[in-house]
Amino acid sequence: MNLQGKKILLGVCGSIAAYKAALVVRLLVKAHAEVKVIMTEAAKDFITPLTLSVLSKNPVSSQFANEDGTWNNHVELGFWADVMVIAPATAKALSRCATGHCDDLLTAVYLSARCPVFFAPAMDLDMYQHPSTRQNIANLLSFGNYLIHPGAGELASGLSGEGRLAEPESIVSQLNAFFSRQTVAAGKRVLITAGPTVEALDPVRFISNRSSGKMGYAIADAFAAAGAQVTVISGPTAVKASMENVNVVNVNSADEMLDAAQGHFDQSDLVIFAAAVADYKPAHRAVQKIKKSEEMMSLELTRTPDIAATLGKQKKQGQLIIGFALETENELEHARRKLTAKNFDYVILNSLNDPGAGFIHDTNKITVIDRNENVRHFSLKPKDEVALDILNIVLEKWSEA
């Protein structure tokens, strides 16, 4: 267990799932972590502070001032923790933290925390799926926080669906994995290409594709959170890195992306080619905007540089290279060819035949193939979770070394 000696701050909100907080505390203490608990006033309707105090072996805080006049310093609590976990996190708690509505001790500590913060939502399925809740979660993730996805099943309302608080074992396991990743990935240099490239036809028009850059940036955030030094060579995209320690180099064309990647390649321990690079570019770029004239227009195209193949030939001993393959037919066959032709260690296959996978979506479904022809299939899941799957594969490889 990587939780030994870690200082963990658990925030408990007013939800029927609050009873699971006792199990979370028990498992953390059993893993030899030091645990302090903050409860909202509403949480006391579902579980007593005494229960959590006995299990954590520390006083439970719920207000700025205790009955005996002592002060719960929210700044000190925020500085104390190695990680903060809010479980269960209600819709109200998500909203207050996302908007900075600081009206109790828990939100004050959250705003003061300098450590990573995990949110484990618990609510009814319609509340969880409501656009306001989804936006609040998106905002929290954009701040660099982490989401422990709720489970699906029977809910307190009698309905069945997504919204159940993740099981205590899963919450503790994800925290353990977080600290494990930090140990293995610390100091590793990771280079990622992300987003589309655009190839200018004239000063107004260009050739490109539908890539949003979401997958590449999710991977960047995952590795940065694990302690790696991450550089992203990014084509034009509205997506931003959530982690502040991600270095982003903005480019437009395939030629620019190759030049930028070349400058970082030799120093990189891991290279992930997640960008959707345009395969062709106009043979001649017009200086002025092309005017409409004839009914038909012919456009001469020429190949863009194959960034992955070019850098794959320069691979050094000890480097890992991962590429993506987006296919629409004979997916596994084409992915295996790319794995060999471009000297990848792993190829990550996306199929546009899988609903919810590929460009634009917030979800993805991947199949990972390694040089030994081992194939791992993963289910459809949010791209931040897909990024963690990719991270864990790399960490396994690094751990073996």
Side-chain angles (χ1 to χ4, degrees), residues 279-312:
D279 294 321
Y280 292 90
K281 63 181 179 181
H284 305 285
R285 177 183 176 182
V287 177
Q288 303 295 332
K289 177 184 176 183
I290 300 172
K291 296 294 185 180
K292 287 187 293 186
S293 56
E294 306 298 328
E295 288 295 324
M296 300 292 293
M297 175 184 173
S298 296
L299 186 62
E300 184 181 1
L301 301 177
T302 184
R303 284 287 303 269
T304 59
D306 191 325
I307 298 172
T310 300
L311 296 180

Side-chain angles (χ1 to χ4, degrees), residues 217 232-237 239-240 248-252 256 260:
Y217 274 87
V232 178
I233 312 298
S234 177
T237 174
V239 181
K240 304 294 181 184
V248 178
V249 179
N250 293 303
V251 298
N252 287 297
E256 292 174 0

Side-chain angles (χ1 to χ4, degrees), residues 12-15 18-19 37-52 60-67 72 105:
V12 182
C13 302
S15 163
Y19 76 91
V37 178
I38 301 173
M39 300 178 69
T40 64
E41 287 300 311
K44 296 178 183 178
D45 292 332
F46 299 94
I47 187 170
T48 68
L50 179 60
T51 298
L52 297 177
V60 171
S61 304
S62 59
Q63 298 180 341
F64 289 101
N66 298 317
E67 291 183 1
N72 291 315
L105 180 63

Side-chain angles (χ1 to χ4, degrees), residues 353-375:
N353 293 316
D354 293 323
F359 293 155
I360 306 298
H361 302 289
D362 292 326
T363 55
N364 204 359
K365 183 178 180 182
I366 64 170
T367 298
V368 180
I369 309 166
D370 66 22
R371 295 176 72 91
N372 297 320
E373 293 290 313
N374 296 312
V375 180

Side-chain angles (χ1 to χ4, degrees), residues 80-309:
W80 172 83
D82 293 314
V83 69
M84 182 177 184
V85 189
I86 301 179
T90 60
K92 181 180 179 180
L94 294 174
S95 176
R96 294 206 318 271
C97 291
T99 59
H101 186 171
C102 182
D103 62 353
D104 64 3
L105 180 63
L106 179 60
T107 47
V109 173
Y110 164 69
L111 292 175
S112 301
R114 293 187 177 181
C115 62
V117 181
F118 288 74
F119 288 87
M123 64 198 74
D124 207 63
L125 75 165
D126 293 312
M127 296 173 68
Y128 185 65
Q129 294 296 336
H130 195 278
S132 61
T133 303
R134 307 308 298 176
Q135 185 60 54
N136 286 331
I137 290 173
N139 288 341
L140 290 169
L141 293 177
S142 74
F143 301 156
N145 299 303
Y146 301 87
L147 180 68
I148 298 177
H149 290 269
E154 185 177 353
L155 303 169
S157 65
L159 300 174
S160 184
E162 193 175 25
R164 288 170 56 115
L165 178 67
E167 292 303 316
E169 292 82 3
S170 177
I171 293 172
V172 173
S173 175
Q174 291 187 53
L175 293 177
N176 184 64
F178 171 77
F179 287 112
S180 175
R181 292 193 293 266
Q182 286 193 318
T183 302
V184 177
K188 293 288 188 181
R189 291 161 296 186
V190 178
L191 176 64
I192 301 169
T193 65
T197 62
V198 297
E199 310 298 335
L201 175 62
D202 62 20
V204 177
R205 306 175 183 89
F206 56 82
I207 296 173
S208 189
N209 55 63
R210 299 181 186 275
S211 174
S212 65
K214 291 178 181 178
M215 191 70 256
Y217 274 87
I219 296 170
D221 283 333
F223 276 91
Q229 301 173 22
V230 180
T231 296
V232 178
I233 312 298
S234 177
T237 174
V239 181
K240 304 294 181 184
S242 297
M243 302 298 296
E244 293 183 357
N245 57 330
V246 174
N247 175 41
V248 178
V249 179
N250 293 303
V251 298
N252 287 297
S253 68
D255 291 297
E256 292 174 0
M257 183 170 283
L258 175 59
D259 288 343
Q262 285 273 25
H264 293 84
F265 182 80
D266 286 344
Q267 295 78 36
S268 299
D269 299 296
L270 168 68
V271 182
I272 302 178
F273 296 111
V277 181
D279 294 321
Y280 292 90
K281 63 181 179 181
H284 305 285
R285 177 183 176 182
V287 177
Q288 303 295 332
K289 177 184 176 183
I290 300 172
K291 296 294 185 180
K292 287 187 293 186
S293 56
E294 306 298 328
E295 288 295 324
M296 300 292 293
M297 175 184 173
S298 296
L299 186 62
E300 184 181 1
L301 301 177
T302 184
R303 284 287 303 269
T304 59
D306 191 325
I307 298 172

